[in-house]
Amino acid sequence: MKRLFTLFCFILCVVINTKASDPIDFVHHPKNEQGQGNRGSTLLPTADYDDNVINLYVPYDIEDMQVVIKDVQGEVIYSSMIPYVVVQHSIVLSNGESAEKYSIELFFNGWHLIGWF
């Protein structure tokens, strides 16, 4: 019984101390570059943020995705054209970045998505 209780406490501690990454919710820019209004979020990229690492997840292969990350003052701290994204792409921000809020913008196939973390 004592071993079972100890095992239960150990599992509880592991679950409590395991921190999940923070998801980044994207919203559509009011109109994308082709003039289309907001569409449903089906088959759009998702992202999460954990300890200065942003993971982008795409539901299908995307060519030429522009990623721009800005701090709270609107200064660009990261900008890159990713030639080909398959399943996942990770972006590591420098430890020197200390703003409390960032925005991330994705430009691809005429879409402009923005999220905050």
Side-chain angles (χ1 to χ4, degrees):
M1 183 71 175
K2 200 178 221 183
R3 290 175 59 184
L4 181 62
F5 179 76
T6 305
L7 178 64
F8 175 78
C9 290
F10 175 76
I11 292 173
L12 183 62
C13 289
V14 169
V15 170
I16 289 173
N17 289 325
T18 303
K19 178 187 169 205
S21 57
D22 297 324
I24 299 172
D25 297 320
F26 286 107
V27 295
H28 300 230
H29 192 271
K31 289 190 179 234
N32 68 23
E33 294 169 7
Q34 296 174 350
Q36 300 161 333
N38 293 341
R39 292 193 221 169
S41 62
T42 4
L43 298 179
L44 291 178
T46 60
D48 61 33
Y49 174 74
D50 187 25
D51 293 330
N52 288 349
V53 177
I54 298 170
N55 294 304
L56 296 172
Y57 305 97
V58 295
Y60 52 89
D61 300 350
I62 296 177
E63 292 184 27
D64 299 327
M65 177 186 279
Q66 174 75 33
V67 179
V68 178
I69 299 174
K70 298 178 183 176
D71 64 12
V72 72
Q73 288 84 21
E75 306 241 354
V76 175
I77 61 168
Y78 177 89
S79 180
S80 179
M81 175 66 77
I82 304 167
Y84 199 71
V85 182
V86 179
V87 183
Q88 178 190 5
H89 182 79
S90 296
I91 299 167
V92 179
L93 299 177
S94 69
N95 289 332
E97 304 302 335
S98 61
E100 293 181 15
K101 187 124 179 160
Y102 297 98
S103 68
I104 180 170
E105 296 181 66
L106 306 179
F107 301 89
F108 65 97
N109 299 338
W111 285 97
H112 179 192
L113 303 178
I114 187 168
W116 292 269
F117 62 99

